[in-house]
Amino acid sequence: MSKALPNRPLNPRRIGVLAYHAFTQLVRMKVFYFLAIFAVIVIGANFLELPTHAAPEAAGVDVLYAIKNTSIGCMSIFSIVIAIVATGLLLPKDVEDRTLYTILAKPVPRLDYLLGKLLGVTSLIFVSMLAMDLLMTGVLALRMNSVLDEQTLRLQSFGAGPDVIAAQLSETRALGPTWNLQGAVFVVFLRSVVLACIALLLSTFSTSTLFTAIVGFLVVFIGFFQADAREMYFGDAGVLGKIGSGAMTTILPDLQIFNVIDAIIEGKPLEALDLLKITGATFFYFLVYTFCSWMIFARKEF
């Protein structure tokens, strides 16, 4: 007779099952329809005729900027909306369908339930980001090859030498689908993970998806200006200022640390140290908000 395993939390198999259920639950809500809108926007950006400020030999680079700006901007908006709304939907939906009572009636630790839901949402965001990234990379690569051909012909008509042509083409390739651009997409994903953790925390004490969504978007708004507010209130306040600044950064996420995305679009490299700091901050917020969610949800009566 096999001995029953102790009902310990953080069971990977159990969390995986709950995450798969949350993922399929969201997919059945047809959330992937936004990918069609993204495809139309990105392909449309490829045909924009923008007024160019570049030199004649660098013609076409403005369109590359437009494709990257439009794509990353859409990814940011869609990932923020999915992270907040989809996460805010899950717990009220489980209560409405009475699925939550069935799950909690079984020996499922509430921490595993929360982690499963969070992993399901982040998996959905990851798949969505991957699909958008593949589409952006494909469109950008096609357009970059076209721009490179045009620039080569133009430079040859000007009588430019091989070194000049190679230098210009190298600058243009830096604006294409580089690893730096993939780093920007990864940073967008990390930011959405933080926002999903916040939405999960809000949904543990709210039964209204609308309340979770409104407060979640307010947190996003505050997060983008949190560093300025922190500097204003605690800039020169000594030890107490540092404590207050740290508390403010913990309670409300500092979303300005994710603002390296704009610099990457302009062609600046993503430093490994910056990426490490952003990943570390994401992990910190994940631990803090998930722990707070568990503390509230563990004491909640259903």
Side-chain angles (χ1 to χ4, degrees):
M1 182 177 177
S2 61
K3 185 179 178 181
L5 292 174
N7 184 34
R8 289 177 299 192
L10 298 178
N11 184 312
R13 184 174 178 276
R14 187 164 46 215
I15 294 172
V17 171
L18 289 165
Y20 176 74
H21 176 265
F23 181 84
T24 54
Q25 187 181 13
L26 290 169
V27 170
R28 281 198 291 268
M29 294 179 188
K30 299 181 175 58
V31 294
F32 283 125
Y33 279 5
F34 75 89
L35 289 175
I37 301 173
F38 179 80
V40 171
I41 292 173
V42 174
I43 294 172
N46 184 42
F47 294 103
L48 285 178
E49 292 294 337
L50 300 173
T52 180
H53 303 289
E57 64 273 16
V61 295
D62 287 335
V63 177
L64 300 181
Y65 279 123
I67 294 172
K68 290 196 294 184
N69 269 321
T70 306
S71 303
I72 298 294
C74 289
M75 285 183 194
S76 296
I77 293 172
F78 288 140
S79 64
I80 289 172
V81 171
I82 292 175
I84 293 175
V85 177
T87 310
L89 272 172
L90 285 176
L91 265 65
K93 181 71 175 171
D94 277 1
V95 173
E96 181 184 341
D97 297 342
R98 308 189 73 79
T99 310
L100 180 65
Y101 306 115
T102 305
I103 294 174
L104 295 185
K106 298 178 179 178
V108 177
R110 296 196 178 192
L111 178 60
D112 287 14
Y113 173 80
L114 291 176
L115 287 174
K117 291 296 176 183
L118 191 57
L119 184 59
V121 173
T122 52
S123 299
L124 179 83
I125 296 172
F126 180 80
V127 172
S128 304
M129 295 287 296
L130 182 63
M132 288 189 285
D133 186 25
L134 288 174
L135 184 58
M136 176 190 69
T137 302
V139 171
L140 195 57
L142 289 173
R143 189 54 189 255
M144 186 189 69
N145 289 332
S146 170
V147 170
L148 289 174
D149 292 340
E150 291 175 12
Q151 288 182 352
T152 302
L153 292 174
R154 191 181 295 268
L155 288 166
Q156 286 174 343
S157 69
F158 291 160
D163 293 342
V164 174
I165 295 175
Q168 179 60 50
L169 297 186
S170 177
E171 289 182 14
T172 303
R173 286 193 184 94
L175 301 175
T178 61
W179 285 111
N180 264 335
L181 189 60
Q182 301 305 313
V185 176
F186 182 60
V187 172
V188 173
F189 170 72
L190 291 179
R191 183 175 59 191
S192 66
V193 171
V194 174
L195 298 178
C197 293
I198 292 171
L200 183 71
L201 174 60
L202 293 171
S203 65
T204 54
F205 56 82
S206 166
T207 56
S208 167
T209 304
L210 182 61
F211 173 82
T212 303
I214 291 174
V215 177
F217 286 119
L218 281 176
V219 171
V220 172
F221 178 77
I222 295 169
F224 282 120
F225 298 98
Q226 198 246 59
D228 296 330
R230 197 174 63 228
E231 181 66 23
M232 181 184 298
Y233 289 112
F234 305 111
D236 301 319
V239 177
L240 288 177
K242 290 181 180 177
I243 295 173
S245 176
M248 188 174 181
T249 307
T250 304
I251 296 170
L252 294 170
D254 180 4
L255 297 182
Q256 284 193 10
I257 61 174
F258 299 95
N259 282 354
V260 296
I261 298 167
D262 294 336
I264 296 172
I265 292 174
E266 293 296 325
K268 294 180 181 176
L270 175 62
E271 302 292 340
L273 183 59
D274 291 336
L275 184 59
L276 189 63
K277 286 180 180 176
I278 293 170
T279 306
T282 303
F283 187 63
F284 170 76
Y285 286 125
F286 170 82
L287 288 180
V288 170
Y289 294 137
T290 305
F291 179 76
C292 293
S293 302
W294 179 38
M295 288 292 101
I296 296 172
F297 193 64
R299 291 167 174 78
K300 193 169 183 178
E301 298 291 340
F302 293 97

